[in-house]
Amino acid sequence: APAAIVGDFGSAAVEGALIRCGWPILKIRRWATVGGAVAWSALLFGFACTRNLPLAAALYIAAFVVYGAHKSGYAANFLEVGGKDTATLMAMANMLGNVPIAIAPSLGLLLRRRTGSWLTFFGLHCALNLVAGLAFGRFASLKEGRALLAERRQRSKAD
């Protein structure tokens, strides 16, 4: 979506400026991922709640703009700790992440039939995204990645 592309470039510019200001990379990743998850969840929930079509369109577009920031944090972590296994690690994470996408249409229709509204479905989606973003913010760490990289460097020097 064009809005997500704008978000990608916008978040890259903001993150680059923060690096030049001396912010640590982990802090930037947490900011991008957690801030993006919170903003995305709030904007999508607002989209689900509004009955005003222009406002709904604006909230939906804004949600995908901030999605660019949200995804920049966790994608960079795969690259940093994955090494030669980055592709496999990302494939496994994407596969697990796409399981909810596979069941979402059925779940959405079920919730819509039972409640008479899409609000429950969007609310559940937003809550789960918010929890995932907050969990990333709480548990994201570069310590293990740095230890793994140091170990690999030692082994490659020994070879």
Side-chain angles (χ1 to χ4, degrees), residues 82-120:
K84 67 181 177 75
D85 300 318
T86 297
T88 303
L89 183 63
M90 286 189 85
M92 289 171 43
N94 284 330
M95 179 194 67
L96 293 173
N98 284 325
V99 169
I101 293 170
I103 63 169
S106 301
L107 178 63
L109 289 173
L110 176 71
L111 290 173
R112 170 81 166 95
R113 284 186 191 130
R114 291 195 179 197
T115 65
S117 170
W118 285 104
L119 187 57
T120 307

